């Protein structure tokens, strides 16, 4: 296998799924109509409800759904089971389940006056279902926010060449919103200007980096200034660690790569002898910086920050994907080699590895089913897409007919190619995981795709910066959804919670407490299962709505059943792995053990909540199936958040 065939498979899959399946569902089942008024036009408030051009909204939605999942998931799965099962799940998942979940969640919300999935469940299924779903969603979002903030703070702490690009992204997001919506400037000119400046900020970070005569990395002037800021902040504790934590996965960006002798060196943030991460004050500083970025995305009018930031992120990600795709095509045809003299296009990973069905005592169990289907989440199907689509994208849809190109299009032509790129990156490299491996693979492909005009080192920097932007632009929306969820959940009982600022501060406070336990690495292990379970529950709401409207629910019902059973099984397996590898491991210290037990408790909570929601949904489905007559118009009202 080589990279050329991955491009061919991706193009054919996206074309067939969109034109021969998605369009048919949109025409015959959902029956979209450009003359139907959308919530964005009926309830425009400039904050959450805002009619938006589908060209801009496509970019917003793509960057709202594309986070670390389509990068880390395929890379991890390929290392565990081989590239072939990973490729098969990506192709089949996105064709029959992924776009279905994304598009349907948006359209159900649009047809219910922009209400969230929880509010729709209250009306269609049962009042208690809404409460249970709120509990599920809030804890799921806490896992998601804790994992994202934890890894991003670690990256900003460990990589001084990254923060300047993020600061430039924030400034350009504010400027782009002003230029498009206040100054009424043309979208083409605005796009070129703000994307170019953001890319310039990303290049400025690593500019001037070089190796000295001993091979040590010397930072350029911009990154060196960030190092000074970190040092000044660390002086607050006399450069002593606030706390230490073990990371048995070695996934934290602050952990240095092994040297030529195979051993990891000690750094200010890592004690190699003890194998402990030292959390310094600059880590907390960057965590607060991320909260500030996310606060603007969660509370400023959607057009002012979140939407233009995601739009800029879309173009940067698209440029990276496009250049890499060209490299995937030309590298095997031209026999392009990397700086080490290795062919770029050929796969180094085997097609199949151990399928993992044999259980070993006191070791993590990773059977192909169900674990593959939750390891690769975004790129095939994701519950986060349903949440952000129903609460964010649905409230910006200008025309009813825009739902298909935005919802299904962003999944098939945006995140699916990103997941294929990630799978390709690790397959041509042969081993490794995380953002670093993604960046290394992108560096090789960009070098090939530009015929050597962009050096591999700069291509790697582009890949790393793209990874950070991909995760950060989604993180701001996680908090936007969290504050909406909190307001709807307890706003009636505790009126201050309906205030967006109060809800945001509380959501960030819970997340900060989670991150500062040092256990975000273990939270990430629960993310995949809870994310896919959220997708199954959103499809359940879609299926019940379709049945209540006397429309054929089969296209949503069958994927829902598969994902529901699979993710319940994966949740149980994940809890078992946490217990045997961490909670019951005498070599682990108290903090990761406490974190593991907390995650086991959360997994039990989510498992029970999903069973209750599934039972309520089953009864509601039968009730609507037995109800006679034509469907009634929705009586729902827009959520006041």
């Amino acid at each position: 296998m080589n990279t050329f065939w991955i491009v061919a498979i991706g193009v054919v899959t996206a074309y067939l799924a969109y034109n021969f399946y998605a369009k048919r569902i949109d025409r015959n089942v959902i029956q979209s109509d450009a003359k139907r008024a959308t919530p964005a036009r009926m309830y425009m408030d400039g904050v959450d409800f805002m009619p938006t051009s589908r060209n801009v909204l496509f970019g917003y939605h793509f960057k709202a759904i594309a986070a670390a999942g389509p990068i880390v998931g395929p890379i991890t799965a390929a290392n565990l089971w081989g590239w072939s099962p990973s490729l098969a799940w990506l192709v089949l998942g996105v064709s029959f389940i992924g776009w279905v979940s994304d598009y349907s969640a948006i359209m159900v919300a649009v047809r219910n006056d922009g209400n969230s999935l929880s509010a729709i469940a209250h009306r269609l299924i049962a009042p208690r279902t809404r409460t249970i779903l709120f509990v599920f969603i809030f804890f799921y979002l806490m896992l998601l926010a804790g994992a994202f903030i934890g890894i991003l703070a670690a990256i900003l702490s460990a990589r001084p060449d990254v923060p300047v690009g993020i600061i430039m992204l924030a400034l350009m997001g504010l400027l782009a919103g002003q230029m498009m919506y206040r100054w009424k400037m043309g979208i083409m000119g605005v796009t070129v200007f703000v994307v170019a400046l953001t890319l310039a900020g990303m290049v400025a970070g690593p500019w001037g980096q070089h190796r000295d005569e001993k091979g040590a990395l010397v930072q350029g002037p911009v990154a060196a200034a960030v190092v000074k800021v970190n040092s000044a902040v660390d002086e607050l504790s006399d450069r002593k660690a606030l706390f230490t934590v073990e990371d048995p996965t070695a996934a934290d960006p602050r952990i240095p790569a092994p040297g030529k002798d195979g051993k990891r060196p000690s750094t200010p943030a890592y004690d190699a002898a003890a194998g402990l991460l030292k959390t310094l004050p600059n880590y907390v500083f960057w965590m607060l910086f991320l909260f500030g970025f996310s606060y603007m995305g969660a509370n400023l009018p959607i057009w002012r920050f979140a939407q233009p930031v995601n739009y800029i992120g879309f173009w940067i990600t698209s440029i990276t994907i496009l250049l890499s795709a060209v490299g995937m095509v030309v590298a095997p045809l031209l026999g392009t080699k990397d700086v080490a003299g290795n062919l770029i296009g050929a796969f180094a990973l085997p097609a199949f590895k151990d399928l993992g069905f044999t259980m070993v005592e006191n070791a993590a169990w990773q059977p192909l089913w169900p674990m593959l289907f939750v390891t690769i989440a975004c790129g095939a199907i994701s519950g986060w897409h349903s949440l952000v689509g129903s609460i964010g994208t649905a409230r910006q849809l200008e025309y009813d007919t825009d739902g298909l190109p935005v919802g299904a299009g962003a999944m098939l032509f945006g995140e699916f190619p990103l997941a294929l790129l990630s799978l390709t990156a690790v397959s041509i490299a042969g081993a490794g995981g995380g953002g670093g491996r993604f960046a290394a693979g992108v560096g090789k492909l960009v070098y090939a795709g530009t015929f050597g005009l962009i050096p591999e080192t700069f291509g790697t920097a582009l890949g790393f910066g793209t990874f950070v932007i991909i995760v950060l632009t989604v993180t701001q929306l996680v908090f936007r959804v969290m504050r909406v969820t909190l307001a709807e959940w307890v706003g009636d009982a505790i009126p201050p919670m309906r205030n967006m600022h109060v809800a945001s501060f509380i959501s960030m406070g819970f997340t900060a407490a989670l991150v500062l336990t040092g256990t975000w690495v273990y939270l990430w292990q629960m993310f995949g299962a809870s994310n896919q379970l959220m997708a199954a529950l959103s499809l359940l709401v879609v299926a019940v709505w379709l049945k209540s409207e006397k429309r054929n629910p089969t296209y949503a019902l069958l994927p829902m059943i598969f994902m529901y059973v699979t993710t319940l099984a994966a949740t149980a397996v994940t809890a078992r792995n946490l217990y045997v590898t961490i909670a019951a491991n005498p070599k682990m210290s108290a903090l990761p053990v406490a974190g593991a037990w907390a995650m086991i408790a959360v997994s039990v909570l989510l498992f029970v909540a999903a069973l209750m929601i599934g039972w309520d949904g089953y009864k509601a489905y039968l009730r609507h199936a037995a109800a006679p007559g034509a469907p009634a118009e929705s009586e729902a009202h827009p959520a006041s958040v």
Side-chain angles (χ1 to χ4, degrees), residues 311-541:
Y311 180 68
I312 295 170
F314 158 74
W315 279 107
I316 291 174
T317 305
S318 298
I319 290 170
T320 303
I321 292 175
L322 179 61
L323 292 177
S324 299
V326 174
M328 291 166 68
V329 172
V330 302
L333 297 179
L334 301 180
T336 308
K337 296 182 179 181
D338 60 18
V339 293
N342 301 315
L343 288 173
I344 291 178
F347 274 27
L349 273 186
F352 289 95
K353 292 187 175 183
D354 182 8
L355 300 185
F357 289 108
T358 301
M359 185 181 294
V360 179
E361 187 177 2
N362 298 325
W365 185 38
Q366 299 289 351
L368 183 71
W369 186 91
M371 300 311 290
L372 169 66
F373 303 94
V374 300
T375 301
I376 297 181
C378 308
I381 180 176
S382 170
W384 164 249
H385 300 188
S386 303
L387 281 180
V388 74
S390 62
I391 292 178
T393 307
R395 299 178 179 186
Q396 301 174 68
L397 212 66
E398 187 172 15
Y399 298 103
D400 197 60
T401 48
D402 290 346
L404 184 67
V406 171
M411 184 64 174
L412 287 166
F413 301 112
E415 187 165 82
F416 175 56
L418 178 59
L420 290 180
L421 170 59
S422 304
L423 178 62
T424 303
V426 70
S427 296
I428 63 177
R437 180 57 57 185
F438 171 78
V442 166
K444 297 177 185 296
L445 294 172
V446 168
Y447 171 76
T450 58
F451 303 95
L453 293 177
I454 297 181
E456 194 173 323
T457 53
F458 279 91
T460 301
L462 175 64
F464 211 105
T466 300
F467 174 78
V468 173
I469 288 177
I470 284 171
V471 180
L472 182 56
T473 50
V474 172
T475 302
Q476 62 169 341
L477 296 179
V478 171
F479 286 108
R480 194 175 190 97
V481 177
M482 282 186 79
R483 61 99 169 159
V484 170
T485 300
L486 196 60
E488 289 190 353
W489 180 13
V490 298
D492 291 336
I494 309 175
M497 292 296 186
R498 300 194 71 83
N499 182 284
M500 65 174 65
H501 305 288
V502 173
S504 294
F505 280 124
I506 291 176
S507 298
M508 291 178 183
F510 275 113
T511 302
L514 206 58
V515 172
L516 292 178
T517 63
T519 58
W520 69 266
V521 172
Y522 310 108
L523 299 180
W524 187 268
Q525 298 176 21
M526 281 300 304
F527 162 64
S530 62
N531 185 57
Q532 302 300 69
L533 195 51
M534 183 66 241
L537 296 179
S538 71
L539 284 171
L540 174 63
V541 175

Side-chain angles (χ1 to χ4, degrees), residues 45-257:
D45 59 8
V47 178
D48 290 317
F49 293 87
M50 182 73 182
T52 304
S53 164
R54 72 179 184 182
N55 297 319
V56 174
L57 194 56
F58 178 93
Y60 166 87
H61 184 69
F62 167 56
K63 276 311 301 110
I65 63 176
I71 297 175
V72 177
I75 290 175
T76 303
N79 279 313
L80 284 172
W81 300 289
W83 60 259
S84 186
S86 305
L87 178 62
W89 169 230
L90 282 171
V91 169
L92 294 174
V94 77
S95 297
F96 298 104
I97 308 178
W99 76 262
V100 170
S101 175
D102 288 27
Y103 162 75
S104 299
I106 291 173
M107 296 308 294
V108 167
V110 168
R111 298 296 174 83
N112 285 269
D113 286 350
N115 271 294
S116 66
L117 292 175
S118 300
I120 298 169
H122 177 275
R123 185 179 67 86
L124 290 178
I125 300 178
R128 81 162 188 173
T129 304
R130 183 191 191 197
T131 302
I132 298 170
L133 194 55
F134 275 140
V135 173
F136 184 98
I137 291 174
F138 190 77
F139 278 98
Y140 157 69
L141 290 174
M142 274 185 54
L143 293 175
L144 186 60
F148 283 4
I149 290 291
I151 193 171
L152 286 174
I155 289 173
L156 295 178
S157 175
R159 295 291 301 251
D161 54 345
V162 172
V164 172
I166 304 306
I167 294 171
M168 183 62 72
L169 173 66
L171 294 175
M172 290 302 101
L174 290 168
L175 181 60
Q178 185 72 17
M179 294 171 75
M180 286 190 295
Y181 292 104
R182 283 289 186 259
W183 298 342
K184 305 297 183 182
M185 296 179 65
I187 188 172
M188 185 63 69
V190 172
T191 300
V192 172
F193 181 73
V194 297
V195 171
L197 286 182
T198 303
L199 286 170
M202 294 172 64
V203 171
W207 178 68
Q209 284 182 345
H210 63 278
R211 299 279 179 179
D212 61 18
E213 60 276 5
K214 296 181 179 180
L217 180 65
V218 178
Q219 299 291 352
V222 176
V226 177
V227 171
K228 290 182 180 179
V229 172
N230 287 343
S231 298
V233 174
D234 289 342
E235 289 293 342
L236 296 174
S237 67
D238 294 327
R239 299 181 181 275
K240 294 180 180 178
L242 302 177
F243 57 86
T244 59
V245 64
E246 295 172 286
D247 179 8
T249 68
D252 194 293
R254 292 169 292 176
I255 299 178

